[in-house]
Amino acid sequence: MTDGSGYEAYEDAGELLRALAAPIRLAIVSELAQGERCVHELVEKLGATQPLVSQHLRVLRGAGVVRGSRRGREIAYALVDEHVAHIVADAVSHAGEAS
Protein backbone atom coordinates (compact mmCIF):
# COMPACT_ATOMS: atom_id res chain seq x y z
CA MET A 1 0.00 0.00 0.00
CA THR A 2 2.96 2.31 -0.12
CA ASP A 3 1.96 3.52 -3.59
CA GLY A 4 -1.33 4.89 -2.20
CA SER A 5 -3.56 2.57 -4.23
CA GLY A 6 -6.74 1.78 -2.37
CA TYR A 7 -5.79 3.96 0.59
CA GLU A 8 -8.66 6.36 -0.08
CA ALA A 9 -11.13 3.61 0.82
CA TYR A 10 -9.42 3.30 4.23
CA GLU A 11 -9.63 7.05 4.72
CA ASP A 12 -13.34 6.98 3.89
CA ALA A 13 -13.86 4.06 6.27
CA GLY A 14 -12.02 5.99 8.97
CA GLU A 15 -14.33 8.96 8.47
CA LEU A 16 -17.36 6.68 8.76
CA LEU A 17 -16.04 5.12 11.96
CA ARG A 18 -15.31 8.56 13.44
CA ALA A 19 -18.90 9.58 12.69
CA LEU A 20 -20.11 6.48 14.53
CA ALA A 21 -17.74 6.94 17.49
CA ALA A 22 -20.30 8.39 19.93
CA PRO A 23 -22.58 5.93 21.77
CA ILE A 24 -25.67 8.06 21.09
CA ARG A 25 -24.91 8.01 17.35
CA LEU A 26 -24.72 4.21 17.50
CA ALA A 27 -28.10 4.22 19.25
CA ILE A 28 -29.56 6.55 16.60
CA VAL A 29 -28.33 4.28 13.79
CA SER A 30 -29.78 1.24 15.60
CA GLU A 31 -33.12 3.00 15.95
CA LEU A 32 -33.15 4.13 12.31
CA ALA A 33 -32.40 0.54 11.25
CA GLN A 34 -36.00 -0.13 12.33
CA GLY A 35 -37.33 2.57 10.00
CA GLU A 36 -37.73 6.31 9.52
CA ARG A 37 -37.95 8.42 12.67
CA CYS A 38 -38.53 12.10 13.42
CA VAL A 39 -36.40 13.88 16.00
CA HIS A 40 -39.13 13.79 18.66
CA GLU A 41 -39.43 10.01 18.22
CA LEU A 42 -35.68 9.59 18.68
CA VAL A 43 -35.74 11.88 21.73
CA GLU A 44 -38.49 9.79 23.29
CA LYS A 45 -36.84 6.46 22.48
CA LEU A 46 -33.30 7.42 23.51
CA GLY A 47 -34.16 9.56 26.52
CA ALA A 48 -31.89 12.36 25.29
CA THR A 49 -32.64 16.04 24.81
CA GLN A 50 -33.82 17.37 21.46
CA PRO A 51 -30.76 19.62 20.97
CA LEU A 52 -28.42 16.69 21.66
CA VAL A 53 -30.22 14.37 19.23
CA SER A 54 -30.31 17.10 16.58
CA GLN A 55 -26.58 17.75 17.01
CA HIS A 56 -25.74 14.07 16.52
CA LEU A 57 -28.09 13.76 13.56
CA ARG A 58 -26.25 16.69 12.00
CA VAL A 59 -22.94 14.81 12.37
CA LEU A 60 -24.45 11.64 10.90
CA ARG A 61 -25.97 13.59 8.03
CA GLY A 62 -22.68 15.34 7.33
CA ALA A 63 -20.99 11.93 7.15
CA GLY A 64 -23.61 10.68 4.69
CA VAL A 65 -24.98 8.09 7.14
CA VAL A 66 -28.52 9.50 7.37
CA ARG A 67 -30.77 11.63 5.21
CA GLY A 68 -33.75 13.75 6.12
CA SER A 69 -36.97 14.21 4.22
CA ARG A 70 -39.71 16.64 5.09
CA ARG A 71 -42.87 15.12 6.53
CA GLY A 72 -45.22 18.08 7.01
CA ARG A 73 -43.62 20.30 9.64
CA GLU A 74 -41.16 17.60 10.69
CA ILE A 75 -38.12 15.99 9.13
CA ALA A 76 -38.05 12.20 9.04
CA TYR A 77 -34.57 10.69 9.20
CA ALA A 78 -33.56 7.41 7.59
CA LEU A 79 -30.35 5.52 6.95
CA VAL A 80 -28.76 6.17 3.57
CA ASP A 81 -27.31 2.66 3.46
CA GLU A 82 -28.34 -0.39 5.46
CA HIS A 83 -24.70 -1.57 5.59
CA VAL A 84 -24.09 0.94 8.38
CA ALA A 85 -26.80 -0.70 10.48
CA HIS A 86 -25.01 -4.03 10.09
CA ILE A 87 -21.69 -2.49 11.15
CA VAL A 88 -23.31 -1.06 14.28
CA ALA A 89 -25.18 -4.27 15.09
CA ASP A 90 -21.97 -6.30 14.70
CA ALA A 91 -20.01 -3.88 16.88
CA VAL A 92 -22.65 -3.96 19.63
CA SER A 93 -22.84 -7.73 19.45
CA HIS A 94 -19.06 -8.04 19.63
CA ALA A 95 -18.92 -5.67 22.61
CA GLY A 96 -21.53 -7.83 24.36
CA GLU A 97 -19.42 -10.93 23.81
CA ALA A 98 -16.40 -9.30 25.41
CA SER A 99 -18.28 -8.64 28.66
Side-chain angles (χ1 to χ4, degrees), residues 82-95:
E82 293 300 319
H83 286 104
V84 176
H86 296 293
I87 292 168
V88 169
D90 287 347
V92 172
S93 175
H94 178 72

Side-chain angles (χ1 to χ4, degrees), residues 12-36:
D12 293 345
E15 288 297 317
L16 171 62
L17 293 174
R18 276 187 283 284
L20 296 173
I24 191 166
R25 292 197 286 263
L26 295 173
I28 289 170
V29 169
S30 292
E31 189 60 30
L32 294 178
Q34 307 303 314
E36 260 187 4

Side-chain angles (χ1 to χ4, degrees), residues 6-91:
Y7 193 74
E8 186 176 314
Y10 290 105
E11 289 177 337
D12 293 345
E15 288 297 317
L16 171 62
L17 293 174
R18 276 187 283 284
L20 296 173
I24 191 166
R25 292 197 286 263
L26 295 173
I28 289 170
V29 169
S30 292
E31 189 60 30
L32 294 178
Q34 307 303 314
E36 260 187 4
R37 302 282 189 271
C38 292
V39 173
H40 73 88
E41 294 170 311
L42 292 169
V43 165
E44 183 179 309
K45 183 69 175 182
L46 302 175
T49 65
Q50 183 273 325
L52 183 64
V53 171
S54 292
Q55 176 186 2
H56 287 287
L57 281 167
R58 200 167 21 260
V59 170
L60 291 170
R61 202 159 81 181
V65 174
V66 302
R67 68 175 177 278
S69 57
R70 190 149 293 281
R71 198 197 292 169
R73 291 179 40 186
E74 299 177 316
I75 297 177
Y77 290 91
L79 294 177
V80 170
D81 184 344
E82 293 300 319
H83 286 104
V84 176
H86 296 293
I87 292 168
V88 169
D90 287 347

